[in-house]
Structure formats: C-alpha cells, structure tokens
Amino acid sequence: MRQKTNGWDPAKRVSEQAPGVHFVEGPASNWIVVRDGPGFILIDSGYPGDRHHVLASLRHLGLEPADALALLLTHGHVDHTGSAAFFSESYGTPVLCAAGELAHVQGKEKHQVTLGQVLSRAWRPRVFRWIVHVIKAGALAARPATQATAWDAATLRALPGRPVAISVPGHTPGNTQSCFRKREPSRSAIRLSAGTRSAGSPVRKCCIRCITQIRARRSPPCETWPASTLWLSCRDMVRPCACRWTKQ
C-alpha cells in the first residue's frame, strides 16, 4: 500500500536491509521494523512529530500498528521514544527497554543536555539549526512512556527475531543495541544500534555531556557470536567530537 504523509513517502524511505529487517528513514529520526512470520516489533519510534510516519511505514509493509508485539527502545531520548506513549495507550503495545533505562523512559529521570547547556551554545549555527530541528519534530510535545517495563532475556527470546540486548552505556546509562540471528548461513548475526546509518561501519557513541558523536571501537555482537555483523541505526549524525568532557 502506497501512502504519503506530508510529502514523506514510505515507498522511498523504507528499505529491507536483511530478510525481515526494515530500516525506516524518517524526516528527523529513524526506526526499524523486524518481522518474523506474522509477527513484528518496532525498534524506536522517532520524534513525537513522526507518529504518522511510523504508522504509514507499518501500513506500507502491510502491517497494522495495533498488531505490534512490542516496541523496543534503545534509550529514552525524545528522538527514539516519540510514539512510545501513543502505542502503549492506543494499542496496549508493550514498551520495553533495559532496566537501567526504565526510569528515563518513564520520565522519572533525565539523561540529556540541559536547557542551559543548549542555550549557552545556541549562538553556534549548527546548534541553532539543531534546536529548530527538534522543535519542528515535536520534541516539546513529548510524553514519557509511563507504562514501559524492563525486558528480560526470556521476554526478548519470545519476540520476532529473538533479539539479544547488548548494553552499551555512555550515551545514556541504559543505552542498548539489539542483536538478531541472521537467516542466511553466510552471516551469523545482525546488530541494530543507535550509532550509525551505514552498514559495515563502526558503531558511534555520544559524548555523555554534549550532542556530538565520537567513534567507538567495533566489538562482537555478543560473547558467543562472531564479529561479522551488519550495522544499522536510528541516527545519522556522524561528526568528530571536540568536546572537553571525557568521552564515554
């Protein structure tokens, strides 16, 4: 089904990066749909302003949003949690995240740049453009996913793709990536991250006290699987970090 939402066309923005794994490039952030048979899950959900795009991307794939078995959140920043409260309240979709990120996702804690830090840098053109960007994407209208719960290994194994959560703290205390077994014999796993859009490139992690990104060393997807992986992401900003704070 071909649907356009305010000029955003899912037919041009949804790509199958691996069998059953669909990367969706939103106007301001990205998300991933993982299908396995009749079931599917979402990984992240863009900004609040991306909700109609998230719904359109699912329907483009022939899926009904209400049928999502879970919405997994890599971390609690607004460009990842934008539709989480909507899915939970409208469809009863389980919203899951790492235990270390639960308070952040539920809105009980904040792990991001402060208003003062943003305003002190607003004179910089790039930061000013970023401020405009997040406001247009609905960041000020964000609502926490108060019904979110922490996942465990058994819960994840029961979901499409049988994801394995990998803790990568630094960007936030409970930031995670998800690793999935590959269906092709030639590849053992696919790792979905919030680091870089480019397949085959190293994961990036953010400096914990600034909004730029730095490179991180490649690591195996999990202890028992080889390092040969396909890298996807829910972010696309890759810049050298000159921040004076210690890199995480």
Side-chain angles (χ1 to χ4, degrees):
M1 180 182 298
R2 190 177 181 88
Q3 298 187 24
K4 290 188 177 180
T5 307
N6 296 328
W8 184 86
D9 187 354
K12 298 178 180 178
R13 300 298 180 181
V14 178
S15 58
E16 189 170 16
Q17 301 289 329
V21 178
H22 303 270
F23 175 82
V24 186
E25 183 181 0
S29 187
N30 310 314
W31 52 96
I32 293 166
V33 182
V34 179
R35 305 177 67 169
D36 189 352
F40 76 94
I41 59 173
L42 269 169
I43 299 178
D44 292 335
S45 59
Y47 280 98
D50 290 328
R51 179 195 304 169
H52 297 299
H53 305 311
V54 173
L55 300 179
S57 67
L58 292 174
R59 289 173 177 140
H60 169 74
L61 293 170
L63 304 171
E64 281 300 317
D67 294 337
L69 297 178
L71 197 167
L72 274 55
L73 297 174
T74 57
H75 62 284
H77 284 164
V78 65
D79 56 330
H80 295 252
T81 65
S83 295
F86 170 80
F87 270 80
S88 175
E89 295 167 3
S90 300
Y91 306 128
T93 307
V95 176
L96 306 175
C97 65
E101 195 71 5
L102 185 58
H104 190 188
V105 169
Q106 292 177 336
K108 298 175 182 178
E109 297 178 0
K110 288 290 185 183
H111 300 284
Q112 59 190 39
V113 291
T114 66
L115 179 61
Q117 288 174 315
V118 172
L119 293 178
S120 69
R121 295 167 172 81
W123 60 272
R124 300 177 180 176
R126 182 174 63 82
V127 176
F128 182 78
R129 289 194 298 270
W130 176 79
I131 293 172
V132 173
H133 157 86
V134 298
I135 291 175
K136 287 183 176 180
L140 300 181
R143 293 186 297 120
T146 57
Q147 301 302 312
T149 58
W151 59 45
D152 56 34
T155 300
L156 294 178
R157 280 197 302 270
L159 295 175
R162 303 184 67 188
V164 175
I166 305 164
S167 177
V168 283
H171 184 52
T172 64
N175 189 42
T176 61
Q177 297 173 359
S178 296
C179 194
F180 296 82
R181 283 191 187 277
K182 293 285 289 185
R183 296 177 184 175
E184 300 95 330
S186 60
R187 291 190 178 182
S188 59
I190 180 169
R191 182 170 178 170
L192 306 182
S193 78
T196 175
R197 287 178 52 193
S198 303
S201 60
V203 151
R204 272 78 170 178
K205 291 167 61 179
C206 281
C207 182
I208 199 168
R209 293 181 183 253
C210 73
I211 61 172
T212 56
Q213 293 187 323
I214 59 174
R215 292 179 181 270
R217 185 170 53 193
R218 180 188 291 273
S219 59
C222 49
E223 291 180 1
T224 59
W225 291 355
S228 175
T229 58
L230 175 63
W231 300 80
L232 303 174
S233 80
C234 296
R235 285 177 166 257
D236 63 1
M237 187 179 74
V238 179
R239 299 176 182 273
C241 181
C243 178
R244 65 187 176 89
W245 297 99
T246 302
K247 307 302 183 293
Q248 301 296 314

